[in-house]
């Protein structure tokens, strides 16, 4: 197993911190490699965030080696580097939130998911991310965000799409919201200093902001749909067609990794400490996403429809081509 680390500042879907160290433990995989002989190397592009813990954990447990695969995990600076990496062939597979891949396909690329990544907890009182306001804010419901300034990490993506949807459902005008780009690590300060009226913040920054006095207005993922899948692992349709056996092996190992991560949250928190600078205390208290193998197709279609209705996508999403 090899890990090639690049500058790592997360900006996609959930949780972002710089990479450190040289990768996750891999004792289990080494023994599997010895048993199976030479393995086929694949390169997977990820952002070193909590969301990608299952792939690091699955590697450490030998799930990929059991399928005859040797992972080279490359960390990217953010979502903007992920899709081009697949397009150029630098990555065989990569991790991204659903709307980023939908947008890529909307622009003429041909990408498809081969495994799930993370899903909302479905709990409107405790999710991996939420819209926060100051403790003394008069904003008390999603509709109150109409006409306000709200931070998201990227414009025209999964954050503002889900926020617009819950505001509209609450009777507010989503088009009147002024969205501004603020990286997750900077969002708590932007909220506290009044630069924005509300901030969409993901873990571990969500917990830190709430500890400092911010209050949750809306768990936008869970409120949009309690079964929403947020991100997953994808490749180009061409690669999947030309390498069906490798793709199947990756999907099988990734699904096993997701199931294992969901069943062993303490190991998830531990492995995150091997590839990020998130402290042990913060890791112990942050809300983890739900890890599951199956996509909820209805929720994904709902997300695509919302993205189209707000102009992020120009045409309907073809779920049958997008999902495995």
């Amino acid at each position: 197993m090899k890990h090639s680390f690049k500058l790592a500042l997360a900006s996609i879907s959930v949780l972002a911190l710089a990479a450190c160290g040289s990768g996750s433990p891999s004792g289990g995989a080494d023994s599997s490699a010895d048993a199976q002989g030479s393995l086929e190397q694949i390169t997977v592009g990820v952002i070193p965030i909590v969301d990608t813990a299952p792939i690091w954990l699955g590697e450490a447990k030998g799930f990929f080696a059991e399928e005859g695969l040797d992972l080279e995990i490359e960390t990217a600076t953010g979502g903007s580097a992920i899709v081009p990496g697949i397009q150029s062939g630098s990555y065989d597979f990569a991790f991204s939130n659903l709307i980023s891949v939908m947008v890529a396909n909307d622009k003429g690329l041909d990408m498809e998911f081969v495994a799930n990544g993370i899903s909302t907890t479905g709990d409107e009182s405790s999710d991996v991310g939420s819209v926060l306001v100051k403790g003394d804010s008069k904003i008390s419901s999603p509709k109150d965000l109409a006409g306000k300034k709200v931070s998201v990490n990227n414009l025209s993506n999964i954050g503002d799409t889900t926020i617009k949807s819950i505001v509209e459902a609450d009777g507010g005008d989503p088009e009147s919201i002024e969205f501004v780009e603020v990286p997750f690590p900077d969002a708590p300060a932007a909220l506290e200093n009044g630069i924005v009226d509300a901030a969409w913040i993901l873990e571990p920054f969500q917990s830190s902001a709430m500890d400092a006095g911010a209050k949750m207005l809306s768990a936008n993922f869970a409120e949009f749909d309690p079964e929403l899948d947020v991100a997953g692992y994808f490749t180009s349709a061409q690669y999947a067609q030309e390498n069906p056996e490798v793709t199947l092996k990756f999907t099988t190992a990734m699904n096993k990794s997701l199931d294992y991560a969901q069943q062993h949250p303490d190991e998830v928190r531990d492995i995150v400490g091997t590839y990020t600078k998130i402290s042990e205390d913060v890791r112990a208290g942050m809300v983890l996403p739900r890890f599951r193998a199956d996509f909820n197709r209805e929720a994904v279609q709902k997300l695509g429809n919302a993205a189209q209705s707000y102009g992020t996508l120009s045409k309907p999403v073809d779920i049958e081509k997008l999902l495995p």
Side-chain angles (χ1 to χ4, degrees):
M1 273 70 51
K2 301 177 182 178
H3 306 106
S4 176
F5 284 88
K6 299 177 180 177
L7 177 64
L9 179 64
S11 62
I12 225 179
S13 117
V14 184
L15 322 178
L17 283 179
C20 66
S22 59
S24 59
S26 56
D30 288 341
S31 59
S32 297
D34 291 340
Q36 297 187 26
S38 61
L39 304 179
E40 182 164 2
Q41 187 178 90
I42 59 171
T43 302
V44 183
V46 305
I47 296 175
I49 54 179
V50 176
D51 302 24
T52 58
I55 195 169
W56 302 91
L57 192 55
E59 179 194 21
K61 294 297 178 181
F63 299 155
F64 292 90
E66 289 171 3
E67 295 297 324
L69 301 176
D70 178 14
L71 292 188
E72 180 176 353
I73 300 177
E74 291 197 357
T75 59
T77 58
S80 61
I82 293 291
V83 172
I86 288 290
Q87 188 178 13
S88 69
S90 297
Y91 306 141
D92 299 310
F93 304 96
F95 178 90
S96 178
N97 77 66
L98 270 67
I99 286 193
S100 290
V101 176
M102 291 178 183
V103 168
N105 286 347
D106 195 63
K107 293 181 177 179
L109 301 181
D110 198 2
M111 306 288 174
E112 60 185 54
F113 284 98
V114 298
N116 206 341
I118 72 158
S119 308
T120 172
T121 63
D123 185 347
E124 295 183 7
S125 65
S126 180
D127 204 3
V128 295
S130 62
V131 180
L132 302 182
V133 295
K134 295 179 70 172
D136 60 357
S137 175
K138 295 182 180 180
I139 298 173
S140 61
S141 67
K143 66 182 178 182
D144 296 335
L145 293 176
K148 300 297 192 297
K149 185 178 292 186
V150 181
S151 71
V152 292
N153 68 318
N154 291 122
L155 298 176
S156 300
N157 213 286
I158 196 165
D160 51 13
T161 296
T162 51
I163 292 170
K164 285 180 179 180
S165 181
I166 62 172
V167 168
E168 185 172 14
D170 196 40
D173 178 10
E175 297 305 323
S176 70
I177 302 171
E178 181 183 355
F179 287 101
V180 295
E181 286 194 354
V182 179
F184 291 134
D186 301 328
L191 179 63
E192 179 63 27
N193 294 329
I195 297 173
V196 295
D197 301 299
W200 179 49
I201 304 179
L202 306 183
E203 290 288 11
F205 310 107
Q206 172 185 246
S207 292
S208 299
M210 294 180 71
D211 287 345
K215 64 181 181 181
M216 181 184 294
L217 175 71
S218 168
N220 51 301
F221 287 157
E223 290 184 32
F224 177 82
D225 194 297
E227 296 300 326
L228 181 65
D229 300 306
V230 177
Y233 293 85
F234 73 102
T235 189
S236 67
Q238 180 179 350
Y239 181 91
Q241 292 167 2
E242 294 177 353
N243 301 276
E245 292 184 4
V246 174
T247 300
L248 178 59
K249 289 177 179 179
F250 177 79
T251 300
T252 300
M254 197 65 242
N255 287 349
K256 187 172 183 179
S257 300
L258 290 163
D259 290 340
Y260 187 90
Q262 181 65 21
Q263 296 168 18
H264 299 85
D266 289 342
E267 292 188 45
V268 170
R269 297 180 193 277
D270 288 342
I271 201 96
V272 168
T274 68
Y275 63 88
T276 76
K277 292 181 179 178
I278 304 177
S279 70
E280 183 176 358
D281 288 345
V282 173
R283 283 185 278 119
M286 64 189 178
V287 179
L288 295 179
R290 178 169 29 164
F291 301 114
R292 64 182 181 191
D294 293 331
F295 284 95
N296 185 293
R297 305 178 90 81
E298 183 177 348
V300 174
Q301 184 68 68
K302 180 179 177 181
L303 181 65
N305 292 346
Q308 183 188 8
S309 71
Y310 298 126
T312 298
L313 302 176
S314 65
K315 54 184 177 293
V317 173
D318 187 340
I319 295 298
E320 295 309 310
K321 291 183 64 177
L322 181 71
L323 300 181

